[in-house]
Amino acid sequence: MSRPDRPTVVLVHGAFADASSYAEVIPRLIARGFDVVAPAVPNRSLVGDAAYVAAIVRQIPGPVVLVGHSYGGAVITVAGTEDNVSALVYLAGYALEEGESLGELQGRFPDSDLAAALVYTPFPVEGSDQPGTDVSVQPDKFPAIFAADVDPRLTSVLAVSQRPLAAQAFTEAAPAAAWKTKPSWGLVASADHTINPDVERFGYRRAGMTAVEVDSSHLVMLAHPERVVHLIEDAVRATSS
């Protein structure tokens, strides 16, 4: 049973992954007495995905610690303006400035290995005669780029079960930056080949957040779940009354 003074932890996954990317973190949080919600983010548009997560957060009674991995960092940057969000935690994530897009932030730095391994696939858009474009990672390159320090048996499954990100999400500007008003923590995956770690460092430093570095691949939640849980607990301790 969770303690009434503890916030609910909402775990927001990123691109090319789904909520199962938190499979090692969720049981650890539950064992520590937290209520946990790990929604399936549509990965269709930054504004739409943030609105979806915000709607979930609004229905949770009491405070929420909002955790975002990778693209999920951009999502919580916008969704985190909800009144009951008490803290933000970024995991190898994008901490956007208001009015900034993923492409603009990433464009400040050299490309990671991900750029040469992307696959673009059209998908039908309801109500439009123009298709959208899904972005995913070449399955044979996924393990090395995304999860080099994760069990190969698992990464082989993750590689063929990706949740793509619509290309539109890369160009949409963030309409808000919740880290300006909410206490924030960030984890840099220093061995990241999906996002240039300097992108993570820059966003965290600009936001003035408390940051730690872990020698990890992009999927730090599966590679180093205890480090992730400790950071979430740091945010909880610092913001709980």
Side-chain angles (χ1 to χ4, degrees):
M1 178 177 290
S2 62
R3 283 178 10 199
D5 59 332
R6 287 198 166 188
T8 298
V9 179
V10 176
L11 303 169
V12 180
H13 67 77
F16 323 130
D18 58 24
S20 68
S21 58
Y22 287 103
E24 293 294 332
V25 169
I26 291 170
R28 287 169 167 83
L29 290 171
I30 292 172
R32 286 160 165 83
F34 289 102
D35 287 330
V36 179
V37 177
V41 183
N43 283 7
R44 298 294 81 190
S45 73
L46 175 57
V47 173
D49 293 339
Y52 178 83
V53 171
I56 292 171
V57 168
R58 280 195 299 273
Q59 297 175 61
I60 296 173
V64 166
V65 170
L66 200 49
V67 181
H69 172 246
S70 189
Y71 166 67
V75 174
I76 71 169
T77 295
V78 180
T81 57
E82 289 298 311
D83 290 342
N84 60 328
V85 173
S86 59
L88 306 171
V89 178
Y90 292 79
L91 306 174
Y94 293 101
L96 299 179
E97 172 63 277
E98 184 176 350
E100 182 178 58
S101 69
L102 289 173
E104 288 170 338
L105 174 55
Q106 200 156 259
R108 295 171 178 259
F109 300 91
D111 284 342
S112 70
D113 294 341
L114 175 69
L118 294 176
V119 178
Y120 301 91
T121 307
F123 68 88
V125 177
E126 185 176 359
S128 173
D129 57 2
Q130 296 298 315
T133 301
D134 261 342
V135 184
S136 58
V137 184
Q138 294 177 34
D140 61 329
K141 295 184 178 180
F142 183 98
I145 291 175
F146 217 67
D149 50 0
V150 176
D151 185 339
R153 292 173 299 178
L154 176 56
T155 58
S156 66
V157 175
L158 299 175
V160 299
S161 58
Q162 297 176 48
R163 193 178 188 95
L165 181 66
Q168 175 183 343
F170 287 98
T171 59
E172 282 188 329
W179 49 257
K180 292 187 173 183
T181 57
K182 304 296 175 79
S184 304
W185 284 256
L187 184 151
V188 175
S190 60
D192 200 334
H193 290 273
T194 299
I195 299 176
N196 183 332
D198 285 338
V199 173
E200 301 163 24
R201 294 184 184 106
F202 173 82
Y204 301 167
R205 185 168 58 248
R206 178 174 62 181
M209 67 178 71
T210 302
V212 299
E213 300 222 1
V214 177
D215 182 16
S216 175
S217 69
H218 190 59
L219 273 181
V220 64
M221 310 91 71
L222 288 171
H224 301 278
E226 281 293 337
R227 297 294 300 274
V228 169
V229 170
H230 289 162
L231 188 62
I232 294 170
E233 288 185 310
D234 287 347
V236 170
R237 281 191 294 267
T239 56
S240 296
S241 55

